[in-house]
Amino acid sequence: MPGMSDPRFARSLIYLCEHSEQGAMGIVVNKPTDMSVATLFERIELAHPDAELSGQPVLLGGPVQVDRAFILHKPANPWQATMKISDEIALTSSKDILESIGTEIAPESMLVALGYAGWVPGQLDNEILQNAWLTVPADDEILFDVPYEERLPAALAKLGIGFDRLSDVAGHA
């Protein structure tokens, strides 16, 4: 929402991966770093991925564990460290998924992010009640097919609004 006071999350679109009584966790999917996927592969000493993936920016997934890569992908095939989010999408943080690029077992779609966004139990719920976040149903097409700079407007369009039409003031009855 426009009133988000934390600059790390201003105008962020977060794909929520888990929300339970233990807390919540998500990946910011619209904030690129200055690193490409090809550069990341060089740093971890892997062969360059295909040309399309090589040019993609690595995203800043959030402020927690920014030294660790998290890969949102589909299909939700299991890897060494995979959390299944839905029947189609999973989040993996093990190197084996990156090693699969260019093989027949590679994910058909993926986003690579450094770090994640995390909330302690009840924190995200309270922030939503305080009008800090607006929720939109997840959309695989926005996540994997829309350029990162167009993802937030595309998500808001699902609600029939634009960011400029939002207010940082909310009423509670």
Side-chain angles (χ1 to χ4, degrees), residues 1-3 131 163-170:
M1 292 295 287
N131 200 41
F163 195 83
D164 60 332
R165 306 292 291 167
L166 296 173
S167 171
D168 60 351
V169 178

Coordinates of all heavy atoms in Angstrom, one line a residue, residues 1-3 131 163-170:
M1 N 0.8 -1.2 0.0 CA 0.0 0.0 0.0 C 0.9 1.2 0.0 O 2.1 1.2 0.4 CB -0.9 0.0 1.2 CG -2.0 -1.1 1.2 SD -3.2 -1.0 -0.1 CE -4.2 0.4 0.5
P2 N 0.3 2.4 -0.4 CA 1.1 3.6 -0.5 C 1.7 4.0 0.8 O 2.8 4.7 0.9 CB 0.2 4.7 -1.0 CG -0.9 3.9 -1.7 CD -1.0 2.6 -1.0
G3 N 1.1 3.7 1.9 CA 1.6 4.1 3.3 C 2.7 3.2 3.8 O 3.1 3.4 5.0
N131 N -3.7 -1.8 7.2 CA -3.7 -1.3 5.8 C -2.3 -1.2 5.2 O -2.0 -0.4 4.3 CB -4.4 0.0 5.7 CG -4.9 0.3 4.3 OD1 -5.3 -0.5 3.6 ND2 -4.7 1.6 3.9
F163 N -2.2 1.7 -8.9 CA -1.5 2.1 -7.7 C -1.8 3.6 -7.3 O -2.0 3.9 -6.1 CB 0.0 1.9 -7.8 CG 0.7 2.0 -6.5 CD1 0.8 0.8 -5.7 CD2 1.3 3.1 -6.1 CE1 1.5 0.9 -4.4 CE2 2.0 3.2 -4.8 CZ 2.1 2.1 -4.0
D164 N -1.9 4.4 -8.3 CA -2.2 5.8 -8.1 C -3.6 6.1 -7.5 O -3.9 7.2 -7.0 CB -2.0 6.6 -9.4 CG -2.9 6.2 -10.5 OD1 -3.4 5.0 -10.5 OD2 -3.2 7.0 -11.4
R165 N -4.5 5.1 -7.5 CA -5.8 5.2 -7.0 C -5.9 4.7 -5.5 O -7.0 4.8 -4.9 CB -6.8 4.4 -7.8 CG -6.8 4.7 -9.3 CD -7.3 6.1 -9.7 NE -8.7 6.1 -9.4 CZ -9.4 7.2 -9.4 NH1 -8.8 8.4 -9.6 NH2 -10.7 7.2 -9.2
L166 N -4.8 4.2 -5.0 CA -4.8 3.7 -3.6 C -4.6 4.9 -2.6 O -3.8 5.8 -2.9 CB -3.8 2.6 -3.4 CG -4.0 1.4 -4.2 CD1 -2.8 0.5 -4.1 CD2 -5.2 0.7 -3.8
S167 N -5.1 4.8 -1.4 CA -4.9 5.7 -0.4 C -4.1 5.1 0.8 O -4.3 3.9 1.0 CB -6.2 6.3 0.1 OG -6.1 7.1 1.2
D168 N -3.3 5.9 1.4 CA -2.6 5.4 2.6 C -3.5 5.5 3.9 O -3.0 5.2 5.0 CB -1.2 6.0 2.8 CG -1.3 7.5 3.0 OD1 -2.4 8.1 2.8 OD2 -0.2 8.1 3.3
V169 N -4.7 6.0 3.7 CA -5.6 6.1 4.9 C -6.7 5.1 4.8 O -7.2 4.9 3.7 CB -6.2 7.6 4.9 CG1 -7.2 7.7 6.0 CG2 -5.2 8.6 4.9
A170 N -6.9 4.4 5.9 CA -8.0 3.4 5.9 C -8.9 3.6 7.0 O -8.5 4.1 8.1 CB -7.3 2.0 6.0

